[in-house]
Amino acid sequence: MRLGRAGRGLGWPSHRLPSSPQYLWPLRNPTRSGPSPAPAEAEAAAGAGPGPWAPRAAWVMRTEVEAAGQQLEPGDFVQLPVPIIQQLYHWDCGLACSRMVLRYLGQLDDSEFERALQELQLTRSIWTIDLAYLMRHFGVRHRFCTQTLGVDKGYKNQSFYRKHFDTEETRVNQLFAQAKACKVLVEKCTVSIQDIQAHLAQGHVAIVLVNSGVLHCDLCSSPVKYCCFTPSSHRCFCRTPEYQGHFIVLRGYNRTTGCIFYNNPAYADRMCSTSVSNFEEARTSYGTDEDILFVYLDS
């Protein structure tokens, strides 16, 4: 349960995504008039937030997979049009992910987001429970699943947690204790990859805590993919045997190839993909508590 904070996002259109999403978006948006955008236009819009391009963009992605010779059955391929927002610092990944999710839901307003950070007293030490409270603040339906309802004292001597552990332990434990009264849904439970895929298949998304030292993207070039959250002028500290917590946003999967699609807030220009086995290793590493924040489209 750990670390994030978002960089400043851009403006967002007022368009909301369809209220009854399918495992793949339809070919045409019934509310759109005029010709469908060309694939290049759809791809260019894919990082700009929700809008009338979204159904066509996802359809283009599916047809490209099928053109490569893969036979897809319903539910085999999901790729949701979640916009990408890059973090600004090595510590702000969780809030960058929250911005992505809120923009996907059509609920991101920058000034309101900044006010929420102040109201919730969110600083440079952000835990997954903080992100759950942030979703609740915006009235977003959510479900926070974890293996530890509070702070695992075993993390005190881990280098990743050591700096803020003593000052954060009481605060974080209080958030867990008050969660039910604050209508923040927290459950101690194990989540399977099938549970995650079923969630994504309904058009919903999730913020996941992973060990960035384990997670690697199969689409990124080898000199880049291991520096998972080092914006310019920041040193890379990912290639280390020690745990390095990092938040990502899940946006789909391909059962045929056995991969998971996600947005890494370290980047501003790409969707990432990794194997299910690598994703499972990264999200279940010691230090993550297997934290996953499910977020629902029908909020």
Side-chain angles (χ1 to χ4, degrees), residues 248-297:
I248 61 173
V249 178
L250 299 189
R251 59 182 292 177
Y253 61 86
N254 186 341
R255 281 204 181 101
T256 304
T257 58
C259 66
I260 294 288
F261 303 128
Y262 63 95
N263 286 357
N264 185 339
Y267 303 125
D269 60 351
R270 72 197 69 181
M271 178 194 73
C272 291
S273 174
T274 191
S275 65
V276 167
S277 59
N278 179 250
F279 169 69
E280 288 290 271
E281 182 184 4
R283 80 174 184 94
T284 60
S285 293
Y286 181 71
T288 67
D289 281 332
E290 299 185 27
D291 284 5
I292 180 168
L293 180 59
F294 291 108
V295 179
Y296 297 85
L297 189 63

